[in-house]
Amino acid sequence: MARLLCVKFRNNLRNLIRLPPSKDFNSCKTEMRYGYTIERMARLREERVGMADMHASISSLFSSITADGGRPRRALKTLPVFSNLSVKRLIELLFGVSASGYSSQKQSIQASVGIRFSSQNDIESTVKQGTVISSDIRFKYPEFLPHPYMKWRNSIREKLERSDMLKRRSNIVIPEFYVGSILAVTSSNVHAVTRTTKFVGICIRRQGSGLNSSFLLRNVVDNQGVEILYELYDPKIQKIDVLRLEKRLDNDLMYLRDAEPQYSTFPFDMEPEYLSKEEEVPINPIKVKLKPRPWRKRYELDDYKGIEPFDHLLSWRVIRRKPRALKHKRPVQYDLMWHYRNTIPEEEQREIYTEVCSELQKQEIRGQKIKRKSEFVSPEKAT
Amino acid sequence: MISKIFVRNFYTSNSLSEIRKLARLRVVDNSPLGKQAMAEGKPPKVIHVYNKQSVGTTGDMVLLAIKGEKKKGILVGVVKDQKPNIPRFDSNNVVLIEHNGTPVGTRIHVPIPHLLRTILKEKTHAKGADYTKLLSIATKFL
């Protein structure tokens, strides 16, 4: 009976995800173990290039790589980072096939929309009716990209959220900042005597998307570490000032919690440091020193660039189990499906940013004007 | 002995940092009792949390075992994740109080959240304990 049920389930599964008959049940099972759901696979299949095609192409790619000179590792190393590539582009890159097809399609897109998109190597981008989409816009305004989880996607909600975000941005200047920048946030607080509070701190994390996006500020006040989470589009926020615009070596600075306090101490009366608009945002190469264990995370298992070497702080037992733990870590850097599921495809990113970029630029110019106004000092009378 | 070897250093994720019974806290006022306990490396232990969830947060009253005595305290800063706009601290801070709500010390050395003003005012009754005296010995609000 159990076996019969199993067969029935297998057939149903096949029908659901419409796999070719050659695809066997075991491979489906492995896929499910790694978090594919049946609905999602079906949806993926409907929406994009067929999943089966993808699988076939990827497996043939790997066989071709291994066949080519018998040096699979070396060939794999030459693969680019996939995070902002679309599936079509990925296949094109991997095989060299359909390159002409893709480029012709690209041209047709360009012709229809009237915009030329920058290619991978271009740093600056191009102009369409006075609007510029620069290639770093997705790092500048990461919250405009929706969460890549398929079940949470809803195009109408995303569109409404985007318009709401722009409306909020027309009322308050939300400046460009990154993880590692030092911010001062003035917000209204019903609990305070003066009804407003100001907090200064280093941004150690940016998370969320859309109206949900938030950032976490950290500071050490009177030798006491304090963190406050702010929502970026919270109406309580009155003003966001960037005191020092810079990036760090990592995109997540949560390790400052386990680092010495001097690395996250910033005075509340800090003067803002102005950076001219042409200058690139500098990367601060500082490496922090960790306090002795216990830590909040197993930092030895991830490669953080912003931490000083800390092997002397680990016990011999941790050092002994490190290679074993690394062996069981899931290698995502070559997992195409992982990248596909955890990033927004390039085409969608373009669509979103073409929708909002003109409005954002207008607001940027307006923000500069406000800044210049506030900087203006009336000349003194000559005697 | 064997169980010690295997249990020690074994963890896979963060602790929840909840303030329950037997949690150790940090006394942040300048009361002699608290100062002495912290200096000796014997921080107070929670033996009761006065709320229905039995997990303490900012503004909750706790009963502490400190240097062989029972003492009440008010939580003025917690480690666990907080909602937006509410500060989260790197240590679980407590201020010792008497039964009538008067703080034992005369000064709090670390910043305390603004939220505490509202919470403690709500908890204070006309003829009962007055917790708002704690606010007047604070040096900095965040």
Side-chain angles (χ1 to χ4, degrees):
Chain A
M1 184 64 196
R3 205 171 158 186
L4 259 174
L5 272 175
C6 194
V7 170
K8 205 172 176 188
F9 175 63
R10 187 191 302 174
N11 289 340
N12 284 344
L13 190 71
R14 242 182 224 152
N15 291 339
L16 256 173
I17 51 183
R18 281 177 273 158
L19 285 172
S22 61
K23 187 99 184 175
D24 66 342
F25 184 60
N26 281 336
S27 64
C28 286
K29 264 200 323 205
T30 51
E31 278 157 11
M32 283 169 76
R33 194 176 63 205
Y34 284 127
Y36 298 52
T37 58
I38 295 167
E39 304 100 306
R40 188 150 171 210
M41 277 187 76
R43 221 169 130 185
L44 276 173
R45 199 187 146 82
E46 277 164 21
E47 284 192 4
R48 294 211 139 262
V49 195
M51 281 283 288
D53 301 349
M54 271 290 294
H55 278 289
S57 53
I58 289 162
S59 61
S60 72
L61 158 82
F62 280 99
S63 62
S64 72
I65 286 170
T66 43
D68 177 35
R71 282 190 175 173
R73 293 199 69 132
R74 201 169 158 194
L76 275 175
K77 268 181 193 166
T78 56
L79 292 179
V81 180
F82 304 122
S83 54
N84 68 352
L85 299 184
S86 65
V87 174
K88 276 176 197 162
R89 177 98 180 113
L90 199 65
I91 290 168
E92 181 210 353
L93 263 175
L94 295 179
F95 298 106
V97 294
S98 77
S100 54
Y102 179 73
S103 58
S104 66
Q105 196 191 6
K106 199 171 161 188
Q107 277 161 13
S108 68
I109 292 172
Q110 284 166 8
S112 61
V113 185
I115 303 176
R116 272 172 49 223
F117 294 115
S118 57
S119 74
Q120 280 294 301
N121 302 328
D122 287 358
I123 297 163
E124 269 315 303
S125 66
T126 45
V127 184
K128 170 243 167 181
Q129 296 163 1
T131 58
V132 180
I133 308 173
S134 66
S135 57
D136 61 349
I137 193 164
R138 76 188 179 98
F139 303 109
K140 214 169 166 184
Y141 304 105
E143 72 272 7
F144 280 94
L145 291 181
H147 195 282
Y149 186 48
M150 287 280 191
K151 271 191 179 171
W152 298 345
R153 296 290 302 273
N154 182 333
S155 56
I156 296 170
R157 195 209 68 228
E158 283 159 17
K159 204 154 192 156
L160 287 172
E161 274 194 18
R162 258 177 262 138
S163 75
D164 277 358
M165 284 151 81
L166 289 176
K167 270 177 204 159
R168 177 67 184 148
R169 273 175 182 272
S170 65
N171 289 324
I172 181 180
V173 178
I174 297 178
E176 167 194 5
F177 68 94
Y178 302 90
V179 171
S181 304
I182 296 159
L183 307 183
V185 177
T186 313
S187 60
S188 53
N189 188 344
V190 283
H191 310 296
V193 185
T194 53
R195 304 286 158 188
T196 54
T197 48
K198 190 191 170 195
F199 187 72
V200 174
I202 181 168
C203 176
I204 60 170
R205 176 182 265 184
R206 274 188 91 161
Q207 57 189 4
S209 53
L211 291 173
N212 238 346
S213 53
S214 59
F215 57 98
L216 186 59
L217 295 190
R218 179 181 169 80
N219 201 344
V220 174
V221 187
D222 300 341
N223 298 319
Q224 170 75 54
V226 189
E227 281 167 23
I228 302 184
L229 183 79
Y230 287 104
E231 283 173 343
L232 200 54
Y233 292 93
D234 190 351
K236 277 183 205 157
I237 288 182
Q238 293 172 350
K239 203 178 169 196
I240 303 177
D241 288 320
V242 181
L243 302 183
R244 190 187 292 161
L245 183 63
E246 65 180 15
K247 293 177 187 172
R248 290 289 190 95
L249 296 173
D250 295 303
N251 279 331
D252 189 9
L253 299 182
M254 293 301 268
Y255 54 73
L256 285 180
R257 284 180 178 181
D258 292 315
E260 301 278 348
Q262 79 251 24
Y263 296 106
S264 37
T265 311
F266 302 98
F268 268 56
D269 52 352
M270 207 172 138
E271 284 292 312
E273 298 166 12
Y274 284 108
L275 200 71
S276 72
K277 205 171 175 283
E278 290 75 35
E279 265 181 89
E280 212 172 286
V281 180
I283 296 175
N284 190 349
I286 191 171
K287 296 207 174 211
V288 304
K289 217 169 153 185
L290 289 187
K291 283 191 279 194
R293 271 164 37 104
W295 296 325
R296 283 173 182 77
K297 208 184 158 194
R298 289 159 80 172
Y299 297 114
E300 71 272 11
L301 299 186
D302 289 315
D303 50 338
Y304 286 99
K305 294 178 193 87
I307 309 182
E308 265 189 19
F310 52 85
D311 275 354
H312 61 284
L313 295 172
L314 300 173
S315 68
W316 62 271
R317 198 170 280 114
V318 174
I319 291 171
R320 191 189 61 180
R321 85 178 164 212
K322 189 176 160 184
R324 205 169 36 182
L326 287 175
K327 205 175 122 192
H328 289 291
K329 239 179 128 186
R330 209 176 140 210
V332 291
Q333 68 266 41
Y334 303 127
D335 189 346
L336 302 184
M337 286 314 296
W338 186 89
H339 284 284
Y340 176 64
R341 274 186 265 112
N342 287 283
T343 50
I344 302 289
E346 205 187 346
E347 295 98 331
E348 264 179 65
Q349 287 191 17
R350 272 189 220 132
E351 245 173 58
I352 290 164
Y353 284 123
T354 42
E355 185 191 316
V356 295
C357 76
S358 59
E359 186 62 36
L360 282 175
Q361 264 170 5
K362 263 184 224 163
Q363 285 172 8
E364 258 177 43
I365 293 161
R366 207 171 49 87
Q368 282 165 18
K369 269 183 197 161
I370 289 169
K371 208 180 239 178
R372 232 176 282 151
K373 249 187 219 166
S374 61
E375 277 170 55
F376 180 75
V377 182
S378 57
E380 283 175 27
K381 253 183 197 173
T383 48
Chain B
M1 181 67 195
I2 288 171
S3 68
K4 256 188 183 176
I5 288 173
F6 285 106
V7 168
R8 192 170 55 178
N9 291 338
F10 182 83
Y11 60 94
T12 53
S13 57
N14 295 350
S15 63
L16 285 168
S17 319
E18 285 179 341
I19 302 173
R20 292 173 172 273
K21 280 176 187 172
L22 299 189
R24 297 274 189 182
L25 304 178
R26 176 185 168 206
V27 183
V28 289
D29 58 10
N30 63 348
S31 58
L33 183 68
K35 261 166 107 178
Q36 208 183 346
M38 294 309 288
E40 281 177 13
K42 287 181 181 170
K45 213 186 257 181
V46 177
I47 50 178
H48 190 69
V49 182
Y50 293 98
N51 68 5
K52 287 197 175 170
Q53 294 81 30
S54 73
V55 177
T57 52
T58 313
D60 279 341
M61 191 159 62
V62 287
L63 186 62
L64 302 169
I66 176 168
K67 283 186 62 69
E69 284 177 44
K70 282 204 287 183
K71 205 84 192 164
K72 278 185 182 172
I74 285 188
L75 297 172
V76 293
V78 291
V79 172
K80 69 173 186 169
D81 281 355
Q82 298 292 304
K83 283 180 181 170
N85 299 316
I86 294 170
R88 169 213 168 273
F89 292 81
D90 276 3
S91 56
N92 288 319
N93 301 337
V94 72
V95 173
L96 300 182
I97 55 166
E98 303 289 355
H99 281 284
N100 58 1
T102 322
V104 181
T106 53
R107 186 60 57 94
I108 300 173
H109 298 299
V110 297
I112 65 173
H114 279 299
L115 178 72
L116 217 57
R117 291 182 65 235
T118 317
I119 293 174
L120 294 184
K121 267 176 204 164
E122 276 171 10
K123 281 196 174 177
T124 302
H125 298 293
K127 282 182 182 173
D130 180 19
Y131 299 111
T132 49
K133 285 178 188 168
L134 188 148
L135 300 170
S136 54
I137 64 165
T139 47
K140 187 157 190 175
F141 286 91
L142 274 180

